[in-house]
Amino acid sequence: MTEPKAPPEPSAREQRRLQMADIARLAGVSVSTVSRALNGSELINAETRQRIAELARSLNYSINLGARNLRLQENKTVAVVVPYDRQSRQHISDPFFLSIVGSIADALTDRGYDMLLSRVDAEHLDLSAGWFDSGKAIGVVLIGQWRHHDQLNEMAARKLPLVVWGGEMPQQLYASVGGDNVLGGTLAARHLLQSGRRRIAFVGDARLPEVWLRRQGYAQALREAGLAVDPGLEVAAPFEPGLAAGVLERFCAARQDFDAVVCCSDVQALLTIQALRAAGRSVPGDVAVTGYDDMALAAYCDPPLTTVHQPVAEAGAELVEALLAQMRGERTGPRTLPVYLKLRASAPDGAR
Amino acid sequence: MTEPKAPPEPSAREQRRLQMADIARLAGVSVSTVSRALNGSELINAETRQRIAELARSLNYSINLGARNLRLQENKTVAVVVPYDRQSRQHISDPFFLSIVGSIADALTDRGYDMLLSRVDAEHLDLSAGWFDSGKAIGVVLIGQWRHHDQLNEMAARKLPLVVWGGEMPQQLYASVGGDNVLGGTLAARHLLQSGRRRIAFVGDARLPEVWLRRQGYAQALREAGLAVDPGLEVAAPFEPGLAAGVLERFCAARQDFDAVVCCSDVQALLTIQALRAAGRSVPGDVAVTGYDDMALAAYCDPPLTTVHQPVAEAGAELVEALLAQMRGERTGPRTLPVYLKLRASAPDGAR
DNA sequence: GTGAAAGCGCTAACAA
DNA sequence: TTGTTAGCGCTTTCAC
C-alpha cells in the first residue's frame, strides 16, 4: 500500500542499513529505550545505556539524522554558496575565496553545524534561497555580493536567514560581514603616496561592491594628497586570473606613466608584477605594487607583497555568528571588520 | 501526545515554514495532488498541475527534502572530507586541496548531487564514516590518504562507499583516484638531469603515500642516469606553508651542494626558491626547482614554475564517477590519471 | 484524474 | 525505569 518503489531490495552490496529497531531487537529492549540510551537520557539505567551504546558502536550504527531532524523539526546544516561567473565558466581559483570557505567550515564545525557547499550562477544569487526553502539548510552564507545587491535585498525581505561576505552598501537590507574596504583602499594608496609615488593606478572591477568601496578609499587618499584620480589609470580587471592576465598585460604595455598600482587581490598584484616586468619595468624600483587579501603565499612571492590584510581567520566565525544571531531573531546589520596594511617588499617604506 | 518540544511556536520571525498541506488547501486539492503535480506526474490534469506549480512558486514553496528523502529512502548528498593536521592546527591553505574541492563541487552539481564539506583529524580518517552511517551522505570522498592507509582499508572492508584522492598503494582495498605520482616524480627528475643537473634534492614528507610514490619516480630517474640517491638531500617538508618554510630555510642555509630541487607542491617550490635566495643562490641559475600541481598561480610566480601538472579539472569528475560506480555495485580499483611536466623558467630546458 | 491512508526512522508524551 | 503509540512532511498504493 505504501511500499516505495521495488521491495527494499538490499541491493546485494549494501546489506540494508541498520536502524534503531535492529539495535532494539538485538538488545532485547524497545526502540524508545534505544533512542533514549543513544541520546544519553538520564531516565535509562546506566548499565543498559552503556550496553546499548556499545552494541551500536560495535555495529557502526549511527542515528539516522534525516529521520531525527524530521521528527525534531530541527536541522544543523548551513549552506555556503560561492557564486561563479557563468560567462567565463571559470572555476573559483582565487585563494581568498577558498580560504574563506575553509574558515567558515571551521567555524561551523566548532558550533556543531554541518556545511553544505555549492556554487551558484553569479547572475542568480537568489537561487541560493532554495537551500532554505527546501529545508536542506537553516540559512545561507553567500560569498560576495557580486553585481546583485538587489537580489540580496529581495532575499532579505523574504526573511530568509542570510549573511553575505562583502561590503557595506547604502540601502542594504541583508546582513553582511566584510573587511573595511574603504579603509583598505585608503591604507594602500596613502602608503604609496607617503613613499613618494604620485601616479597611482587602480586595478579592480568597480562594479563589485567591495571593489567600488576600495576605490573610494583610494580616491580619498589621493584627494588628501591634493591629487586627482586619473580615469585612464583605472583598470577594470576581474578576479579570475585567466581573464585578468590579458587585461593587465595590455594595460602595462600601453601605459608607462604610473609609478604605483593598487590592486584588489594578491593574485591581481602578482599578475600586475608579471605584466610590468614583461613591459620592462621593475618592481618596486619603477613601480610599487600593493595587493589585497594577504593570502598565505603573499609573503613568499617575489617580491613579497605589501598587501591589505583581510581578517580571514575571523571571517568564518563572524559570518556564522551573524547567521545564528539572525535566527535567534536579532536584528543584524552590516558588520565591518578592521584591516591593516602588511608591509613587504613590493611597495617598501620610505622614498625610493 | 507526540508534540515535540514546545508548541510549534513560529518564533515570531520565521512564519512557520510552508508545507504541502498549505499549498493543497490554498489550491483546493489534496496533498496527493500537490505532490503529484510538483513531481510532474502525468496523472494530473495539465492545467491543475500548472496552477499548483505557479502557486508554489509564488509562495517560494519548495518540497521538504528531508521528508521526501525519508519517504523515498534516497539521498543525493555526498560528503567531501578534507583532513587537517591536529598537531599544527593549520588550516588547509594549499591551493591544490582547495582546487580539488572546487572541482568536486562542480562534478557533483553536474550530476545533481549536493556536497557536504567537512574537516577531519588526519589521525582519524575513519571518523568520516559517520556521514554515511548517519545517512547524511550516501558516500564519502576523502582528499588524501595521509598516514592512515590502514584506516581506509578498514572502511572499505565495511563496504562503505568511499573514494580517496591519492596514490595507488600495495594491498589497497579502497577505491582511489590520483595523478600518476611515480611518473610525476620521474618526469621532474629526468628533466633536471637532462638539463645538466646532477645533485638533485627531494622535498616532501615521504610518509604520505603520494609523496612516497613521487620519490620512487625521482629515485628511478636518478638510477636511469646512473646516480645514487643521497639521503642527505631529502627534505621531509610538510605541505603546510607555515611549517615548511622553516624546514626549507634551514636546509638551504645548511647545504649548498645541490644544483636542483624536486618539490611535491608548488607552494613548497616557492618556499624553496625563497629559501635559496635567502641563502644567496639564484634560481634557476645556481639551482633549478620544479614544483608539483601546476596551480593557477604557478605561471605567474617569479620565476614561473616548471611543474608537474595535476589533472585537477578531471579529478572531480573521476572521483565522483568512481563513487557512483561503487554504489551501483561495480568493483572499482585504484585509478591513475596521467600527468605531464609543464616547462617554465624555474627549471628551463637545455644546459645552463 | 483525484483523494484517503499508510509508513519512511525517529522522539517523547503518556501509561504502566 | 521501560514500553506503547502518535506523528514530523512527504509519496504512493489502492479505491473511487
Side-chain angles (χ1 to χ4, degrees), chain A residues 40-162:
Chain A
S41 161
E42 287 302 323
L43 285 174
I44 302 295
N45 183 314
E47 186 209 340
T48 316
R49 202 165 54 200
Q50 183 70 17
R51 189 165 52 87
I52 293 177
E54 249 154 44
L55 181 60
R57 190 147 9 96
S58 75
L59 296 171
N60 290 313
Y61 170 77
S62 197
I63 292 178
N64 182 315
L65 291 177
R68 176 179 218 268
N69 288 345
L70 180 58
R71 175 60 235 235
L72 254 32
Q73 295 286 77
E74 71 178 33
N75 187 352
K76 300 273 276 181
T77 304
V78 168
V80 175
V81 181
V82 183
Y84 67 85
D85 182 10
R86 196 165 34 84
Q87 301 277 302
S88 67
R89 272 311 278 103
Q90 290 264 320
H91 289 198
I92 300 298
S93 46
D94 195 296
F96 178 71
F97 289 99
L98 295 165
S99 307
I100 283 268
V101 169
S103 170
I104 298 171
D106 285 339
L108 287 174
T109 305
D110 288 347
R111 288 163 185 73
Y113 285 83
D114 301 333
M115 166 169 163
L116 207 45
L117 181 65
S118 69
R119 298 281 181 83
V120 72
D121 180 348
E123 299 303 312
H124 289 284
L125 302 181
D126 46 2
L127 252 36
S128 51
W131 290 120
F132 176 77
D133 293 332
S134 70
K136 278 287 271 194
I138 50 163
V140 174
V141 176
L142 199 60
I143 312 298
Q145 291 144 313
W146 300 83
R147 307 210 300 273
H148 291 282
H149 185 56
D150 50 330
Q151 292 177 4
L152 300 179
N153 271 338
E154 280 166 26
M155 289 165 80
R158 278 185 50 197
K159 302 282 185 206
L160 188 106
L162 167 73

Side-chain angles (χ1 to χ4, degrees), chain A residues 2 13 17 60 65 71 77 91 106 114-115 117 119 131-132 134 136 158 271 277 300 302, chain B residues 2 17 60 65 71 77 91 106 114-115 117 119 131-132 134 136 158 271 277 300 302 326:
Chain A
T2 176
R13 171 167 180 70
R17 200 187 289 265
N60 290 313
L65 291 177
R71 175 60 235 235
T77 304
H91 289 198
D106 285 339
D114 301 333
M115 166 169 163
L117 181 65
R119 298 281 181 83
W131 290 120
F132 176 77
S134 70
K136 278 287 271 194
R158 278 185 50 197
L271 295 174
R277 286 175 171 156
Y300 302 105
D302 186 74
Chain B
T2 179
R17 201 186 291 264
N60 290 313
L65 292 177
R71 175 61 236 239
T77 303
H91 289 199
D106 285 338
D114 302 333
M115 166 170 164
L117 181 65
R119 300 280 182 80
W131 291 120
F132 175 77
S134 70
K136 276 288 267 194
R158 280 184 49 195
L271 295 175
R277 286 177 172 157
Y300 302 105
D302 183 72
Q326 209 171 126

Side-chain angles (χ1 to χ4, degrees), chain B residues 4-255:
Chain B
K5 321 190 124 189
E9 181 197 352
S11 121
R13 168 166 183 73
E14 181 198 336
Q15 62 301 352
R16 198 178 64 79
R17 201 186 291 264
L18 230 44
Q19 58 192 65
M20 226 175 238
D22 299 315
I23 306 292
R25 195 163 12 78
L26 264 43
V29 295
S30 73
V31 285
S32 337
T33 301
V34 175
S35 172
R36 284 190 268 249
L38 260 28
N39 285 299
S41 161
E42 288 300 325
L43 283 173
I44 301 297
N45 183 313
E47 186 211 339
T48 315
R49 203 164 53 202
Q50 183 70 17
R51 190 163 54 86
I52 293 176
E54 249 156 44
L55 182 60
R57 190 149 7 94
S58 74
L59 297 172
N60 290 313
Y61 171 75
S62 197
I63 292 178
N64 182 315
L65 292 177
R68 177 177 219 267
N69 289 345
L70 180 58
R71 175 61 236 239
L72 254 31
Q73 296 286 78
E74 69 178 34
N75 186 351
K76 301 272 275 179
T77 303
V78 168
V80 175
V81 181
V82 183
Y84 68 85
D85 182 10
R86 196 164 36 84
Q87 301 277 302
S88 67
R89 276 301 290 96
Q90 289 266 318
H91 289 199
I92 301 299
S93 47
D94 195 296
F96 178 72
F97 289 100
L98 294 164
S99 308
I100 283 266
V101 168
S103 171
I104 298 170
D106 285 338
L108 287 173
T109 305
D110 288 347
R111 288 162 185 74
Y113 285 83
D114 302 333
M115 166 170 164
L116 209 43
L117 181 65
S118 68
R119 300 280 182 80
V120 72
D121 180 348
E123 299 302 314
H124 289 284
L125 301 180
D126 48 0
L127 253 34
S128 52
W131 291 120
F132 175 77
D133 294 331
S134 70
K136 276 288 267 194
I138 50 164
V140 174
V141 177
L142 200 59
I143 311 299
Q145 292 143 312
W146 301 84
R147 308 209 299 272
H148 292 282
H149 187 55
D150 51 329
Q151 293 177 3
L152 301 178
N153 271 339
E154 280 166 28
M155 288 165 79
R158 280 184 49 195
K159 304 280 187 208
L160 188 106
L162 168 72
V163 181
V164 179
W165 170 266
E168 182 172 346
M169 298 291 284
Q171 283 124 33
Q172 172 177 326
L173 302 176
Y174 52 91
S176 69
V177 174
D180 189 335
N181 292 294
V182 176
L183 178 61
T186 301
L187 288 175
R190 197 182 280 157
H191 167 71
L192 292 168
L193 290 163
Q194 281 172 353
S195 61
R197 312 286 169 160
R198 277 297 169 273
R199 301 277 300 156
I200 305 178
F202 181 88
V203 170
D205 179 354
R207 289 173 305 175
L208 307 183
E210 292 181 276
V211 172
W212 186 72
L213 293 166
R214 291 173 198 174
R215 196 185 52 167
Q216 295 204 333
Y218 150 87
Q220 186 185 312
L222 292 193
R223 259 199 315 280
E224 284 172 6
L227 298 175
V229 170
D230 176 355
L233 291 181
E234 295 191 27
V235 189
F239 285 127
E240 293 86 351
L243 300 182
V247 176
L248 290 166
E249 271 161 33
R250 258 169 277 130
F251 176 74
C252 292
R255 300 191 61 143

